[in-house]
Amino acid sequence: QVQLVESGGGLVQAGGSLRLSCAASGRTFTIHAMGWFRQAPGKEREFVAAITWIGGSTYYADSVEGRFTISRDNTKTTLYLQMNSLKPEDTAVYYCAARMRRTGSLSISDEYDYWGQGTQVTVSS
């Protein structure tokens, strides 16, 4: 089992920045990759970014490429999402997720095994 706890959400003006954190505990040595997803009201959950846990390869949705940066600490227990140049359309509940499988697509939420509780990000115009 892996437990995930997000923090760092809040209210920010358009153009501002926020950094989300996700603390992982439990059997973290089984993690192949972690990702961030978000869900806005009335919309489906969508992929934001992912990182492979050992190699550190990163992947981004087109909508956040160049504005958001995903990273993890050297102890491989904390995941981050640095969000810059935020836009009102970035408003959503942000979830971190962990996956054990090594095959498939990192952008598909159904392929993730563990999820955090979510943290609200609100960007005002």
Side-chain angles (χ1 to χ4, degrees):
Q1 292 280 351
V2 173
Q3 295 78 43
L4 303 173
V5 178
E6 299 106 335
S7 61
L11 173 64
V12 65
Q13 288 188 332
S17 299
L18 279 176
R19 188 173 86 153
L20 305 183
S21 300
C22 175
S25 61
R27 296 171 61 86
T28 57
F29 61 90
T30 62
I31 295 174
H32 167 62
M34 291 191 68
W36 289 98
F37 291 78
R38 66 187 182 187
Q39 187 166 20
K43 296 187 177 181
E44 294 186 353
R45 188 171 297 186
E46 66 173 356
F47 170 73
V48 175
I51 185 169
T52 58
W53 214 229
I54 301 299
S57 297
T58 58
Y59 306 85
Y60 296 92
D62 290 344
S63 59
V64 307
E65 181 86 53
R67 299 188 298 123
F68 291 11
T69 303
I70 189 171
S71 63
R72 48 118 170 86
D73 70 348
N74 289 335
T75 65
K76 300 183 182 65
T77 59
T78 305
L79 177 72
Y80 302 101
L81 184 68
Q82 177 66 43
M83 306 185 293
N84 298 328
S85 301
L86 282 160
K87 305 175 182 179
E89 51 263 44
D90 294 317
T91 295
V93 177
Y94 283 70
Y95 299 89
C96 68
R99 59 184 283 156
M100 283 49 193
R101 71 191 72 184
R102 297 177 178 271
T103 57
S105 172
L106 294 180
S107 65
I108 298 178
S109 60
D110 287 348
E111 296 188 5
Y112 284 75
D113 303 290
Y114 300 100
W115 291 82
Q117 80 286 358
T119 185
Q120 176 71 46
V121 171
T122 303
V123 184
S124 63
S125 57

